[in-house]
């Protein structure tokens, strides 16, 4: 599974420098292909270094962020070293160094752009950068470094920390995750607090609140973690008269974000050097992480069951011990789908005709809702509401939300630009991922849910993922959130179906391997370390993923499958 990479010391051992021919055919040196386990020590350029080795060494040295990239700057001319600003962001790429007719460049594919705050935007456009290698006092030096840092995908995956920071939902009852990316060497408690102060990514800023406030800054003492796991954070700009409820939200948001530092178990805040009181703190002034978990500010902590549900012969049921199908009551109605809320309190069935949903307490009285559209599908629960899509008479897709009393609300999908084939809403209720078909091609998009008199989707942004041959994928079939920031996707690339796990910004993608069957549906159990995934074929074959055995065929054949959520 995709997980945050913990802090490690990067050591890069540069290849010895040898003279190479500078004219004639292109020479290519692959980047980021070091074998696993090799540690690399960034070294300054050696006397007599060749142009290709100079650029290769510079790209590798950019993996070491200490002392404001001091080693990497030694590869630059004096003017370029003074002007280069690696703190402004950069780009992640797959590519090679090549030299032809005296020009040394990196060519390949930009897989993403990083802004100054470490926010990642997935891309798939071409990269071609000429480093302007020039002889200075008898040695080759670079005069045209890239804007910001240039990071190979290998280095980005292994030596950067992919950090979840949290903000408060506008309902102020749970946290919402966001992602920033930081070189391992720069991941400190202070850096996490600074990410909080910088605020959420533009995509979700209208759907969350930052309890920090616009005047809050990190104090001179910064942030640190002691041997007991207590994070001490010095802030300035906190109002002395801050109400108790806002103090509670501030502590909640900041403590959950600091869990990106693995050993953090509590939080202590000072403001202008004076202890800052947080509701729920101990007599020692520490807000314990355990207390926050008990208050269930983290939606994924509410999971009450890990069972798989499904439909067999028009009957909804639970997959019990030994993979035995246990039927559930749907008031005698033949069904096509079953959905259960992540806390195990609510259930919903889509009838066999796909025109009506039955929703209510699990094991209690169900109410019927008939939204007025056909082909109701992709039923799922988020924050106590059932979500489905359905088609009107013209074939247009509508996104619907049904509460536990059966009241139906249509969500304005805005400029989705295509037909929604499948979708999934995060348990935090802010992001929606969808497979959208346009002109015969299927695209993966991420949109933000905006509440109001008429709930709506903010314009959906495409999430371009690349195949192993670096071509943009367009064969998306089904998807589901497998964690708070992780999405499981079934794709078809060249007739080979596989499951990918991707972070919500497309920064990391993991291939779970090709499937022995042609899957048409995927379901995942949303957990902090999501590792429960199943796929279903058109013929009802169900395969369950296991980290050791990969894909295992289950005993039961089902017409539909779903984990809670």
């Amino acid at each position: 599974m995709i997980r945050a990479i913990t802090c490690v010391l990067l050591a890069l051992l540069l290849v010895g420098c040898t003279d190479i021919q500078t004219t004639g055919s292109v020479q290519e040196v692959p980047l980021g292909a070091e074998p696993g386990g090799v540690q690399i020590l960034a070294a300054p350029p050696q006397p007599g270094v060749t142009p290709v080795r100079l650029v290769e060494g510079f790209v590798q040295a950019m993996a070491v962020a200490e002392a404001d990239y001091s080693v990497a700057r030694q590869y630059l001319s004096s003017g370029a070293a003074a002007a280069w600003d690696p703190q402004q962001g950069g780009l992640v790429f797959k590519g090679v160094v090549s030299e032809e007719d005296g020009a040394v460049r990196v060519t390949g594919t930009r897989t993403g752009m990083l802004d100054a705050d470490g926010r990642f935007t997935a891309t798939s456009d071409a990269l071609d950068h000429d480093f302007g290698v020039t002889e200075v006092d008898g040695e080759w030096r670079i005069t045209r470094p890239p804007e910001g840092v240039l990071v190979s995908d290998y280095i980005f995956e292994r030596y950067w920390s992919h950090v979840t920071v949290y903000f408060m939902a506008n309902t102020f009852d749970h946290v919402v995750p966001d992602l920033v990316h930081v070189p391992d060497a720069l991941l400190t408690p202070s850096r996490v607090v600074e990410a909080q102060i910088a605020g959420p990514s533009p995509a979700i800023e209208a759907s969350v609140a930052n309890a920090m406030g616009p005047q809050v800054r990190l104090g001179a003492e910064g942030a640190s973690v002691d041997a007991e796991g207590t994070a001490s954070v010095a802030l300035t700009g906190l109002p002395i008269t801050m109400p108790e409820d806002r103090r509670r939200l501030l502590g909640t948001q900041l403590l959950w974000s600091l869990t990106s530092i693995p050993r953090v178990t509590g939080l202590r805040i000072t403001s202008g050097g004076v202890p800052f009181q947080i509701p729920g703190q101990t007599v020692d002034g520490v807000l314990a992480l355990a207390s926050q978990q008990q208050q269930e500010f983290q939606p994924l902590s509410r999971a009450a069951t890990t069972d798989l549900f499904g439909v067999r012969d028009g009957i909804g049921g639970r997959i019990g011990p030994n993979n035995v199908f246990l039927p559930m009551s749907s008031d005698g109605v033949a069904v096509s789908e079953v959905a259960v809320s992540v806390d195990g309190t609510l259930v919903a069935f889509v009838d066999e005709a796909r025109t009506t949903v039955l929703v209510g307490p699990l094991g209690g009285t169900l109410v019927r809702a008939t939204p007025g559209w056909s082909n109701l599908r992709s039923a799922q629960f988020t924050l106590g509401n059932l979500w489905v899509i359905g088609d009107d008479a013209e074939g247009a897709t509508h996104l619907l939300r049904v509460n536990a009393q059966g009241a139906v609300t249509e969500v304005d999908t805005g400029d989705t630009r295509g037909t929604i084939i499948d979708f999934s809403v995060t348990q935090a209720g802010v992001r929606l991922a969808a497979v959208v078909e346009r002109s015969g091609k299927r695209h993966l998009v991420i949109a933000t849910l905006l509440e109001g008199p008429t709930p709506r989707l903010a314009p959906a942004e495409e999430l371009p993922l690349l195949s192993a041959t670096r071509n943009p994928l367009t064969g998306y079939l089904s998807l589901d959130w497998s964690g708070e920031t992780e999405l499981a996707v079934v794709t078809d690339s060249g007739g080979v179906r596989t499951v990918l796990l991707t972070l919500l910004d497309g920064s990391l993608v993991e291939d779970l391997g090709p499937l022995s069957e042609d899957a048409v549906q995927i379901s995942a159990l949303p957990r902090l370390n999501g590792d429960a995934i199943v796929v279903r074929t058109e013929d009802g074959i169900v395969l369950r993923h296991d980290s050791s055995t990969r894909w295992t065929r289950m005993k039961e054949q089902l017409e539909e499958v779903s984990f809670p959520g």
Side-chain angles (χ1 to χ4, degrees), residues 300-325:
L300 297 191
S301 70
R302 305 171 186 177
T305 177
T306 60
D307 288 345
L308 179 67
F309 295 81
V311 175
R312 187 183 69 181
D313 299 328
I315 299 172
R318 178 196 307 261
I319 308 302
N322 301 317
N323 288 331
V324 175
F325 183 82

Side-chain angles (χ1 to χ4, degrees), residues 12-149:
L12 235 184
L13 179 60
L14 292 179
V15 188
C17 298
T18 57
D19 291 331
I20 62 172
Q21 189 174 344
T22 58
T23 59
S25 60
V26 175
Q27 304 171 49
E28 294 189 345
V29 181
L31 294 179
E34 297 85 5
V38 173
Q39 293 189 328
I40 312 176
L41 173 63
Q46 300 300 305
V49 66
T50 62
V52 165
R53 293 304 188 194
L54 179 80
V55 171
E56 183 188 20
F58 175 58
V59 173
Q60 292 178 325
M62 280 189 283
V64 179
E66 288 94 332
D68 193 26
Y69 296 85
S70 59
V71 174
R73 291 184 190 276
Q74 297 179 51
Y75 287 82
L76 309 179
S77 67
S78 58
W84 183 53
D85 182 10
Q87 306 300 334
Q88 67 177 304
L91 63 89
V92 181
F93 76 102
K94 297 175 183 284
V96 295
V97 172
S98 62
E99 180 184 25
E100 187 171 16
D101 297 330
V104 183
R105 58 204 327 123
V106 164
T107 56
T109 303
R110 304 172 191 256
T111 58
M113 305 295 294
L114 290 162
D115 68 12
D117 294 322
R119 312 283 184 191
F120 183 96
T121 301
T123 62
S124 59
D125 54 332
L127 169 66
D128 186 350
H129 181 79
D130 182 350
F131 287 84
V133 176
T134 301
E135 196 169 8
V136 178
D137 297 330
E139 296 288 348
W140 295 106
R141 290 297 180 263
I142 293 167
T143 63
R144 290 196 294 273
E147 295 183 3
V149 293

Side-chain angles (χ1 to χ4, degrees), residues 222-345:
S224 60
V225 181
D226 64 20
E228 284 71 43
T230 299
S232 296
V233 178
L235 299 173
T236 64
L238 289 173
I240 298 176
T241 57
M242 180 182 287
E244 182 175 296
D245 59 347
R246 186 176 160 196
R247 289 172 182 252
R248 180 179 292 106
L249 299 178
L250 173 64
T252 295
Q253 174 183 307
L254 189 52
L255 180 53
W256 273 108
S257 294
L258 284 165
T259 59
S260 293
I261 310 297
R263 55 198 176 93
V264 167
T265 59
L267 169 67
R268 181 186 289 114
I269 299 177
T270 60
S271 178
V274 177
F276 188 79
Q277 299 295 316
I278 309 172
Q281 69 184 27
T282 66
V283 294
D284 296 326
V286 176
L287 181 67
L289 178 61
S291 70
Q292 297 298 293
Q293 292 169 323
Q294 290 168 1
Q295 295 179 45
E296 295 188 339
F297 281 107
Q298 165 55 263
L300 297 191
S301 70
R302 305 171 186 177
T305 177
T306 60
D307 288 345
L308 179 67
F309 295 81
V311 175
R312 187 183 69 181
D313 299 328
I315 299 172
R318 178 196 307 261
I319 308 302
N322 301 317
N323 288 331
V324 175
F325 183 82
L326 305 174
M328 303 166 64
S329 173
S330 56
D331 290 350
V333 176
V335 303
S336 59
E337 293 189 21
V338 58
V340 174
S341 62
V342 74
D343 62 2
T345 62

Side-chain angles (χ1 to χ4, degrees), residues 466-482:
L466 301 177
S467 69
T469 56
R470 301 181 189 172
N471 294 316
L473 290 170
T474 58
Y476 302 106
L477 299 170
S478 181
L479 50 73
D480 202 12
W481 291 100
S482 60

Side-chain angles (χ1 to χ4, degrees), residues 408-543:
V408 179
T409 302
E410 181 173 0
V411 179
D412 181 1
T413 55
D415 187 24
T416 304
R417 295 183 297 112
T419 301
I420 299 176
I421 303 300
D422 192 17
F423 80 103
S424 183
V425 181
T426 61
Q427 289 301 306
V430 167
R431 290 182 175 91
L432 177 146
V435 175
V436 175
E437 187 167 275
R438 303 172 188 148
S439 303
K441 291 186 177 181
R442 293 187 176 184
H443 304 266
L444 176 59
V445 302
I446 306 285
T448 303
L449 288 163
L450 302 173
E451 290 296 337
T454 302
R456 61 187 178 89
L457 296 183
E461 297 291 335
E462 186 163 350
L463 193 64
L465 304 182
L466 301 177
S467 69
T469 56
R470 301 181 189 172
N471 294 316
L473 290 170
T474 58
Y476 302 106
L477 299 170
S478 181
L479 50 73
D480 202 12
W481 291 100
S482 60
E484 57 179 0
T485 62
E486 180 182 276
L487 191 65
V489 187
V490 178
T491 70
D492 189 324
S493 178
V496 177
R497 299 200 182 183
T498 190
V499 173
L500 302 177
L501 295 180
T502 176
L503 289 182
L504 62 84
D505 58 3
S507 54
L508 291 182
V509 180
E510 179 183 357
D511 190 338
L512 297 186
L515 299 167
S516 59
E517 308 286 347
D518 285 344
V520 295
Q521 183 200 359
I522 190 167
S523 185
L525 180 65
R527 294 195 285 193
L528 285 173
N529 292 315
D531 58 0
I533 300 173
V534 297
V535 295
R536 177 187 59 82
T537 72
E538 193 74 54
D539 297 329
I541 295 172
V542 181
L543 303 175

